[in-house]
Each structure stands twice: as C-alpha cells, then as structure tokens.
Amino acid sequence: MQMTGTSSTVLARRWQWLLIAVIAGWLLWLLAPILTPFVFAAMLGWLGDPLVDRLERRRWSRQTAVILVFSAMALLLVVALLLLVPLIERQIVTLVESLPTYRDWFIGTVLPWVERKTGFELIAWFDPDHLIQLIREHWERAGGVAATMLGYLSRSGFVLIAWIANIVLLPVLTFYFLRDWDMLVERVAALIPRDHIGTVTRLAKDSDLVLGAFLRGQFLVMLTLGVLYALGLWGVGLDLGLLIGFIAGLVSFVPYLGPATGVVLGVIAAMVQFGDWQHVALVLGVFGIGQVIESYWLTPRLVGDRIGLHPVAVIFAIMAGGQLFGFLGVLLALPVAAVLNVMLRFAHERYTQSRLYAGDRPAILLDDYVEPSVSGEPPQDIALQGMPLRGMPPEGSDEA
C-alpha cells in the first residue's frame, strides 16, 4: 500500500509539471506579439552579465559595472549603425537604379532560354500590354486585392508604431536585466523543488554552455562571414557585392542556406552586370573560400561541437518556431532547440542506465538453445562447444 501511494504521488507531481508546462506554452503563444523586446533584452542581459560579474570581482560596485557594460554595448551598436547604415543605404539605391537592367536581363535572356528548353511561351505573359489587358479583365478581383493591400498598409502603420516603441523600450529593459540578472537567477532557483535541484543545476549549466556557444560563437561566425563575403564580392567588382555579402552572412546561421543564398544572388548579379562566366567563377570562388574558412577554422574555434544540432533539426526548429510564435518563434527557435538537445542527451543517458534499457537479466548471456544429437550421443549446448570447463586446460595444451 505504501509503494502504491508513493507511485501515485510521483505520478501526480509529473502531471502537475506537465500542466504547468502547457499553461506556460499557452501564455507564451498569447503574449508572443509583445514579448520580442523582452526576449532581446534578456539575451543582451545574459550576454553582458559575465562582464558585469568580472568587474564586480575586481571590487567595482554592481551599479557602476552595469553602467560601464551597458555604455560599451550601446557604443558598439552606435558605431555599427554609423558604419553600416550609409553602406546599406547606398547599396539599396544602387539596387533600385539597377532594377530596369535586371528586368531587361530577365525578359531578354532568361525567358528565351527557358522557352527554348521547355517549349512554353512565357515572354507574352510578361508583355506590358498583356498585363494591362489582364488587369482590365479582372478589374473587380484587382479592386479586391487593392482594398486588401490598403487595409494591410493601414495596419502596417500600427505595426511600425509598435516597432518604434519596442526600439525605445529595448535599452531600458536591457539595463534592468543587466542590473538584476543575478537576483532573477536566484529567485528562479529558489522555486525549484529541493529534491531536483542537482539535476536542474546540471542541466542549467549544460544549457548555458550550449547557448553561449550559439549566441556568442554563431554571432561572431555570422559577422566574420558577412565581412568576408562582402569584401570578396566587392573585390570581384559587383556593384551589389556588399549587400549580397551581408545578406549571406546574416542567414548563415541556417546550414547551407547562407552560402546558397549568396551564390544565387551573386551569380545573378555577375551575369547581369558583366555577362561572362569569368566573374561567375570568381563569385563561386569567393563563397568556396568562405565555406572552407568557416568549416575548418571559424566554426571549430568559435562554436565547436557543443550545440550538436543536425542541419535538418535547425531548419525544422526555425520553421516550427515561425509557424507557432511568428517572429518571436524564429528568434527563440535555435536557443530553445539547443536546450532541448541538452535535455534529450540527459534523457538518453538516464534511459541507457535504467532497468528499462538493461532489463533484469545479466548483461552477458549464454544461448540456452540445445542442439539435438543425430548420432545418439548426449545433447551438447552449442554455446559451450569449444569452451573449456573452469579449472580444466583446453584440449591439446601442454598442461593436459
């Protein structure tokens, strides 16, 4: 009866924790539209807390250390904006001015090649007169689309106001997270049941290492690759080289997507601007060198193998996060997947050490199948054939 009562108590506790997790996920889904600045601020606070703690160990006060670290982070952000915004602005102006050239290349080169290979007549569909005729024939539907677009633009005004409010709120939240990070960790730790504190502490430390490898290491990898790609494409002579390089570096946190995106955009830009295969080969060379540097130097040194996420898991995590929680889900997808990977490794370790995996039988077993005798001799266990009895030397040995 006592064992039954203990099992019921353990099962009730597990159901309670499952209910808490479900409620927390439901609240996260409801509050996702307003949680983005809080998540950004929490990540910045977590990244800056080790520096604050180091300054505290050197006998600086917590308030002074927070002000110094916060000021350094703000200064780095301002310098990055001052350097990048003019470059990106000039690249966007160049892109807008080059759009007619890309349109002419698409209609005059790509479509005829596709028509020759497939036999479909595509150029007529992109003729301006044909497009105007289609709009006239489907005017009512076009009016509905226009009304929908106007409604979207009116809603996007409120979205823009929300983004401005989030940007203004972000530094305030970051300062408070930096100042009170240790206190928040202590309060969360105080809520953990005492009989699970060891396991939770171990998982928290492992997750901290994994998140540190991802957030710090992967950010440095993205930044380095963006600079390498941008400088390489600029050296090749592409007018949009800086923009393409930064985009390829930004999306390089998704395996294979960053270089694939950069290769496609770079090859198209080279074909439109130069129209020869020599510059296409140079573009491919830039991304090839970048991938070699990433695979053999950047990722092993800056990230390592502590994340342990398969590329398919990374892509699935990003898509699932975006589907469930929108932009907040994309932001949290990889950190959450890394923490879940730590928990899955722990669960696998517990499983391989459990009786469910090993069973109740001995680890080394002899086959109990007995081979039937054909010659009338006594049956012999095939698992013992050729094996000497304990204390008896093998046949043909000098000790016999």
Side-chain angles (χ1 to χ4, degrees):
M1 295 294 293
Q2 185 176 0
M3 292 296 295
T4 305
T6 303
S7 301
S8 301
T9 304
V10 172
L11 184 61
R13 287 182 179 179
R14 291 178 179 176
W15 278 107
Q16 288 174 358
W17 282 112
L18 179 61
L19 180 61
I20 292 173
V22 170
I23 293 175
W26 179 64
L27 290 176
L28 181 65
W29 180 72
L30 288 179
L31 300 176
I34 65 171
L35 288 181
T36 301
F38 294 90
V39 173
F40 264 117
M43 288 185 177
L44 293 175
W46 175 76
L47 289 172
D49 181 68
L51 295 177
V52 174
D53 293 339
R54 187 175 300 177
L55 291 176
E56 278 192 296
R57 287 193 294 268
R58 295 183 178 181
R59 298 183 179 180
W60 292 75
S61 66
R62 180 80 183 182
Q63 193 79 9
T64 305
V66 168
I67 292 175
L68 288 176
V69 173
F70 180 79
S71 301
M73 295 170 66
L75 181 62
L76 287 175
L77 179 61
V78 170
V79 170
L81 290 177
L82 290 177
L83 292 176
L84 291 179
V85 169
L87 291 175
I88 300 299
E89 181 184 4
R90 287 197 293 268
Q91 290 287 285
I92 292 176
V93 171
T94 302
L95 175 62
V96 172
E97 294 176 350
S98 303
L99 285 179
T101 305
Y102 282 88
R103 180 199 60 198
D104 296 339
W105 174 78
F106 179 74
I107 295 177
T109 303
V110 176
L111 291 182
W113 182 83
V114 174
E115 285 185 348
R116 289 195 302 270
K117 295 296 182 180
T118 61
F120 296 113
E121 296 183 0
L122 301 176
I123 297 180
W125 286 91
F126 291 90
D127 182 69
D129 296 334
H130 179 71
L131 294 177
I132 292 175
Q133 183 180 358
L134 286 177
I135 293 175
R136 289 176 178 174
E137 292 176 355
H138 301 83
W139 181 254
E140 294 182 359
R141 186 178 300 176
V145 172
T148 303
M149 290 298 296
L150 289 176
Y152 173 76
L153 292 176
S154 63
R155 292 193 301 271
S156 64
F158 295 101
V159 174
L160 180 61
I161 294 174
W163 270 96
I164 294 175
N166 290 338
I167 292 174
V168 173
L169 192 60
L170 182 61
V172 178
L173 295 173
T174 302
F175 179 82
Y176 283 114
F177 273 113
L178 272 175
R179 190 190 68 177
D180 301 329
W181 185 262
D182 291 342
M183 182 182 66
L184 292 174
V185 172
E186 291 177 358
R187 289 186 176 180
V188 172
L191 297 176
I192 299 172
R194 297 298 94 183
D195 54 344
H196 296 294
I197 188 66
T199 301
V200 174
T201 301
R202 173 192 166 184
L203 292 176
K205 289 181 179 179
D206 292 344
S207 300
D208 183 72
L209 290 176
V210 169
L211 289 178
F214 170 73
L215 291 178
R216 298 185 183 96
Q218 193 65 40
F219 175 75
L220 291 176
V221 170
M222 291 164 53
L223 180 63
T224 306
L225 284 178
V227 173
L228 286 176
Y229 291 150
L231 292 178
L233 295 178
W234 176 75
V236 170
L238 290 183
D239 293 335
L240 300 175
L242 296 178
L243 182 61
I244 295 173
F246 288 141
I247 292 175
L250 183 63
V251 297
S252 62
F253 66 94
V254 182
Y256 309 116
L257 180 61
T261 302
V263 165
V264 172
L265 296 179
V267 168
I268 292 176
M271 291 298 295
V272 172
Q273 183 176 343
F274 299 104
D276 55 34
W277 293 105
Q278 178 181 357
H279 287 85
V280 172
L282 292 175
V283 169
L284 296 177
V286 168
F287 285 99
I289 294 172
Q291 283 302 291
V292 171
I293 293 175
E294 179 195 7
S295 301
Y296 291 97
W297 191 78
L298 289 177
T299 300
R301 288 180 176 270
L302 299 179
V303 179
D305 56 354
R306 286 176 290 179
I307 296 180
L309 290 179
H310 193 274
V312 175
V314 172
I315 297 172
F316 175 79
I318 294 173
M319 295 181 65
Q323 178 67 28
L324 294 175
F325 301 104
F327 179 74
L328 178 65
V330 175
L331 181 65
L332 290 176
L334 291 184
V336 171
V339 174
L340 288 177
N341 193 38
V342 171
M343 295 182 178
L344 287 176
R345 285 202 298 264
F346 174 75
H348 178 265
E349 178 184 344
R350 293 289 298 269
Y351 168 67
T352 54
Q353 295 176 358
S354 66
R355 185 171 295 180
L356 179 63
Y357 176 77
D360 296 326
R361 302 177 66 185
I364 301 177
L365 299 176
L366 295 177
D367 192 352
D368 55 359
Y369 173 76
V370 178
E371 183 180 12
S373 176
V374 179
S375 59
E377 297 179 358
Q380 188 178 10
D381 193 341
I382 63 172
L384 299 178
Q385 290 180 6
M387 296 182 61
L389 298 176
R390 180 175 298 177
M392 296 294 294
E395 257 185 60
S397 66
D398 296 337
E399 301 178 6

